[in-house]
């Protein structure tokens, strides 16, 4: 990257800003610099473990944080210390966070700037960088839906702009005209990789128009320019919501993090950019125009020094966290105690197909929660590929029933952004298979956010799943086990219309993130008489679908129907336990049936290796050993992708093998 686009020296234009404002910006700018100076000393002394430097880039954070209202959300990255200090976060709490102490924002669970604070209207990053943008989209959408006339601002580095999430985040914001300012801190390098090895375009201002978005280019080292540009944009966007891409030209003066150094940066660039230091240049300017005198400068610096030292004293005085197992486990989920809602006993009932039960549940949840927003591909006028939201847009309006661009990651991330603003979101995967491109948002953002800093993710991801329709490897997969392994998620998987409605309603009611699996093969093949009224099914509770004496079959989803059929064919007296909730699963019910029959087989549609059955069978072996009269068995699909041709698919699925295994278990 060349510096040719920057003026030497920086030219400051105070416009009509008062002296007080100029000094406020000065104090705001000096604070992160002084903190960083201190942190670098502490790092060398081994008193902190890691530091991501924002040295030389402070004017961007400071211009931005001062330009927005205090109650407008900002989503910073790893070099934006100035956002945190600019929102007046108590320094002792910030330092405690850096040191992994209990009074830090994540209580020792995450490091450095990886935290948010709703009180300060900051949503911190996860390491993956790009996912931040979609969360800003969700917050922007919430502003729009509640007509708040606010703007949100999210940062990205130039390196992270190569991520798909960057593209998805910008595209959704542009299509939905969301009030989001995307600030790219174009600082020349992504770790050691220079911009020209990162992308082939020259400026981000070329990129914005490609999304149908305005873009502006500013000198990121000039705090007055950043402040003025973002203030003007924010004022305009509040009245006329739309996204804008701001390219802030700057330079990273230190290593990616302190251990990695800057050997790969040409010396002359370091020297050129050192002359453009945002703090020194602004200080000189204020002195030149007579706004900053030696006395004021000393007072400000003294005040800052004292604040830093006081904050550090408090943070260092705090003892290291003493682990409490229960506290850690309890914080995986946002607190929620379900009170099961039953439909009136004598209320009306009607025969419903599985698909209609889902649709009715969703519709009733939409009526019950005016803050529930549905998002998915083709779910608007078209009603979704399986017609679950047919007529919803006409009934609830396009703001709450949103057709989305083809971008699972951004939409799941936007769901989290909505949740941060107190909305509920339901995101429909067109097919469960496509969740792979939204995987990161689910397992790293939705799943971990409550444990990390106490924010809930009130998002239900609906997953039309399963094989048996000759739809091949990418429209047939069972992928519940991908998520089963991730703490912080809840997973439900109904097998019948009654539970399909009740579990969906329960998942939507719960403020925690859910994966709701709905087997496509059940949509139109089974019906049941279910209450017309709203009701919920208990989460974490299995159901004994069939009772018997000889053997226990533990299963879920389509497995329940296979088990019923095989048991009837063989004339076996069997317990069939339908798990219904896979996470957290019902250990009590599993133990009770194993205790009763002493013989157990787990049946799953998913491939055998590493599936839900593997975990539950291992648990049974460990916890129910004395009740067992035979080895714990399991059957599942072949460990291959799901094949297309019906004969191959039939061989892939576990039904025949299950039947044989069940017979051998009974004979054991
Ligand atoms: C998905 C992902 N890949 C790789 C990394 C490792 N990593 C962390 S920061 C970084 C460079 C980011 O560069 P840029 O976005 O320009 O931000 P800068 O560090 O320059 O401020 C890399 C490669 C990561 N955190 N996440």
């Amino acid at each position: 990257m060349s510096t040719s686009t920057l003026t030497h020296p920086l030219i400051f234009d105070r416009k009509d800003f008062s002296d007080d404002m100029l000094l406020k910006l000065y104090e705001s700018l000096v604070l992160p610099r002084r903190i960083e100076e201190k942190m670098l000393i502490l790092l060398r002394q081994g008193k902190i473990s890691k530091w991501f430097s924002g040295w030389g880039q402070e004017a961007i954070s400071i211009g931005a944080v001062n330009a927005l209202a205090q109650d407008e959300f900002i989503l910073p990255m790893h070099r934006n210390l100035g956002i945190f200090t600019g929102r007046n976060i108590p320094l002792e709490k910030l330092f405690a966070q850096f040191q992994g102490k209990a009074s830090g924002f994540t209580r020792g669970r995450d490091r450095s700037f990886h935290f948010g604070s709703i009180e300060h209207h900051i949503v911190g990053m996860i390491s993956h960088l790009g996912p931040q943008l979609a969360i800003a989209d969700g917050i922007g959408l919430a502003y729009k839906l509640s007509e708040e006339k606010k703007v949100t601002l999210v940062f990205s580095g130039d390196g992270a702009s190569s991520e798909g999430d960057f593209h998805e985040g910008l595209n959704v914001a542009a299509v939905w005209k969301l009030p989001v300012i995307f600030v790219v801190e174009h600082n020349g390098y992504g770790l050691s990789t220079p911009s020209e090895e990162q992308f082939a375009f020259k400026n981000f201002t070329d990129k914005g128009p490609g999304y149908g978005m305005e873009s502006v280019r500013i000198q990121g080292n000039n705090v007055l320019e950043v402040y003025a540009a973002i203030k003007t944009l924010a004022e305009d966007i509040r009245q006329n919501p739309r996204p804008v891409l701001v390219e802030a030209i700057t330079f990273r003066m230190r290593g990616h993090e302190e251990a990695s150094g800057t050997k790969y940066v040409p010396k002359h660039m370091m020297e050129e950019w050192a002359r453009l230091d945002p703090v020194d240049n602004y200080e000189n300017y204020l002195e030149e125009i007579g706004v900053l005198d030696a006395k004021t400068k000393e007072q400000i610096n003294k005040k800052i020094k004292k604040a830093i030292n006081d904050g550090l004293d408090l943070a260092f005085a705090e003892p290291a966290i003493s682990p409490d197992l229960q506290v850690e486990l309890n914080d995986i989920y946002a607190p929620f105690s379900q009170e099961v809602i039953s439909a009136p006993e004598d209320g009306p009932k009607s025969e419903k197909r599985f698909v209609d039960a889902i649709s009715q549940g969703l519709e009733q949840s939409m009526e019950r929660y005016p803050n529930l927003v549905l998002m998915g591909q083709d779910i608007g006028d078209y009603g979704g590929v399986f017609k679950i939201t047919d007529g919803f847009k006409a009934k609830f309006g396009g703001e709450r029933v949103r057709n989305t661009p083809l971008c699972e990651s951004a939409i799941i991330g936007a769901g989290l952004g909505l949740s941060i603003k107190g909305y509920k979101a339901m995101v429909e995967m067109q097919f469960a298979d496509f969740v792979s491109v939204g995987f990161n948002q689910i397992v790293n953002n939705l799943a971990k956010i409550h444990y990390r800093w106490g924010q809930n993710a009130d998002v239900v991801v609906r997953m039309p799943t399963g094989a048996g329709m000759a739809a091949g490897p990418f429209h047939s997969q069972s992928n519940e086990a991908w998520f089963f392994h991730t703490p912080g998620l809840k997973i439900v998987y109904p097998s019948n219309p009654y539970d399909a409605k009740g579990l969906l309603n329960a998942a939507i009611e719960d403020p925690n993130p859910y994966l709701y699996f709905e087997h496509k093969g059940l949509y139109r093949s089974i019906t049941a008489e279910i209450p017309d009224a709203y009701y919920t099914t208990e989460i974490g509770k299995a159901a004994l679908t069939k009772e018997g004496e000889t053997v226990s079959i533990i299963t879920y989803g389509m497995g329940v129907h296979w088990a019923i059929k095989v048991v009837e064919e063989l004339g076996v007296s069997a317990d069939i336990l339908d798990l219904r909730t896979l996470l957290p699963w019902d250990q009590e019910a599993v133990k009770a049936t194993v205790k009763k029959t002493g013989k157990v087989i787990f049946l799953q549609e998913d491939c055998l290796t590493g599936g839900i059955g593997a975990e539950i069978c291992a648990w049974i072996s460990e916890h129910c050993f004395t009740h067992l009269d035979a080895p714990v068995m399991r059957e599942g699909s072949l460990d291959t992708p799901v094949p297309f041709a019906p004969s191959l698919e039939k061989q892939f699925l576990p039904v025949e093998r299950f039947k044989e295994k069940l017979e051998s278990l009974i004979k054991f």
Side-chain angles (χ1 to χ4, degrees), residues 333-564:
Y333 296 121
F336 175 69
S337 162
Q338 184 188 15
E339 279 179 30
V340 176
I341 299 172
S342 309
E345 284 279 330
D346 50 356
K349 292 186 172 168
S350 29
E351 195 73 14
K352 287 264 183 295
R353 297 177 303 176
F354 192 81
V355 70
D356 303 324
I358 297 172
S359 185
Q360 188 179 59
L362 198 54
E363 186 174 351
Q364 291 176 349
S365 283
M366 283 292 273
E367 287 161 354
R368 194 175 180 90
Y369 300 106
N371 62 339
L372 172 62
V373 177
L374 311 185
M375 298 184 285
Q377 289 148 28
D378 308 290
I379 70 163
D381 292 325
Y382 188 68
V385 291
F386 298 109
K387 300 296 167 205
I388 292 201
T389 54
D390 204 13
F392 277 39
K393 189 177 163 200
K395 181 166 177 185
F396 299 106
E399 292 290 21
R400 291 184 64 205
V401 184
R402 307 185 73 86
N403 261 353
T404 71
L406 223 157
C407 50
E408 286 73 7
S409 182
I411 299 307
I412 295 166
L416 179 54
L418 283 172
S419 176
I420 284 165
K421 282 289 296 163
Y423 282 81
K424 286 179 174 289
M426 187 291 300
V427 182
E428 177 178 303
M429 292 294 107
Q430 202 153 67
F431 286 81
D433 309 66
F434 303 144
V435 79
S436 51
V437 285
F439 190 70
N440 189 41
Q441 288 285 19
I442 297 176
V443 301
N444 283 319
N445 246 337
L446 304 190
K448 296 181 176 44
I449 200 164
H450 189 267
Y451 178 71
R452 291 172 56 241
W453 56 275
Q455 170 63 46
N456 73 305
D458 200 346
V459 182
V460 175
V461 183
R462 280 191 29 246
M463 304 276 281
T465 190
M469 282 129 302
F474 306 113
H475 289 76
S476 311
Q477 287 173 86
S478 294
N479 52 21
E480 59 276 12
W482 296 356
F483 304 98
F484 184 65
H485 185 64
T486 303
L489 300 175
K490 295 191 184 182
I491 307 175
V492 287
Y493 198 145
S495 70
N496 58 67
Y498 183 87
D499 288 342
K501 177 172 163 180
L503 286 173
L504 181 59
N505 286 337
I508 290 171
E509 181 190 33
D510 188 334
N512 286 289
Y514 270 81
L515 288 131
Y516 175 92
F517 285 87
E518 47 195 69
H519 200 296
K520 306 183 296 281
L522 298 177
Y523 275 159
R524 292 170 172 83
S525 66
I526 57 168
T527 66
E529 192 173 72
I530 66 169
D532 291 342
Y534 175 92
Y535 64 90
T536 60
T537 299
E538 187 173 350
I539 297 295
K541 186 103 181 134
L544 210 47
T545 303
K546 206 170 163 41
E547 291 195 48
E549 303 301 326
T550 317
V551 64
S552 300
I553 303 167
I554 305 175
T555 186
Y556 58 94
M558 187 59 96
V560 175
H561 300 275
W562 289 333
I564 292 171

Side-chain angles (χ1 to χ4, degrees), residues 604-618:
Q604 68 191 34
E605 176 173 335
D606 196 1
C607 302
L608 194 66
T609 301
I612 313 295
E615 172 63 26
I616 294 181
C617 290

Side-chain angles (χ1 to χ4, degrees), residues 52-53 57 77-79 125-131 156-161 163 185-193 198 252 256 440:
F52 288 93
S53 172
Q57 301 185 204
M77 300 299 290
H78 48 294
R79 305 198 192 286
M125 66 187 289
I126 62 167
S127 293
H128 302 67
L129 315 165
S156 171
D158 47 294
S161 77
E163 290 184 30
E185 295 191 77
H186 194 169
N187 67 1
Y189 287 87
L191 216 156
S192 75
T193 305
Q198 195 72 247
R252 203 193 66 209
H256 167 66
N440 189 41

